[in-house]
Amino acid sequence: MFSPMPATPVDPYARAHSYVQVADDVTRRIGAGEITLKLPAERALAEEYEVAYITVRHAMEILRERGVIVTIHGRGTFVAASLR
């Protein structure tokens, strides 16, 4: 049985912006197989990472630009590789 890896906490003193840290960690979690198809809701991710909702929205925008995720209006946000 696969046990999920916890979200890496955002370091407010790091050189990277909080939204970049969230984007990088979501990418890590996808690579590790923790997130395989559909991502949790953005509000749930904000609670999990203990950041503002807008921080997660910005992180999701970065992940879409990187081609890591795809958002389908009314359906949710998915790992891009799972839709191929």
Side-chain angles (χ1 to χ4, degrees):
M1 178 160 208
F2 184 79
S3 77
M5 299 167 59
T8 302
V10 171
D11 179 359
Y13 303 106
R15 294 180 70 94
H17 292 287
S18 296
Y19 61 89
V20 174
Q21 292 179 58
V22 171
D24 289 345
D25 194 56
V26 169
T27 301
R28 175 193 65 80
R29 293 170 72 187
I30 290 169
E34 179 185 345
I35 301 172
T36 57
L37 179 60
K38 188 173 181 181
L39 275 72
E42 291 176 351
R43 294 212 185 269
L45 286 171
E47 284 183 29
E48 185 175 358
Y49 284 100
E50 298 179 359
V51 295
Y53 172 67
I54 193 70
T55 301
V56 172
R57 299 261 322 172
H58 199 163
M60 295 300 110
E61 183 179 321
I62 289 172
L63 292 174
R64 278 189 290 277
E65 289 172 2
R66 292 179 184 173
V68 175
I69 62 170
V70 175
T71 300
I72 302 170
H73 186 70
R75 302 294 303 269
T77 302
F78 301 86
V79 175
S82 70
L83 299 178
R84 292 188 186 123

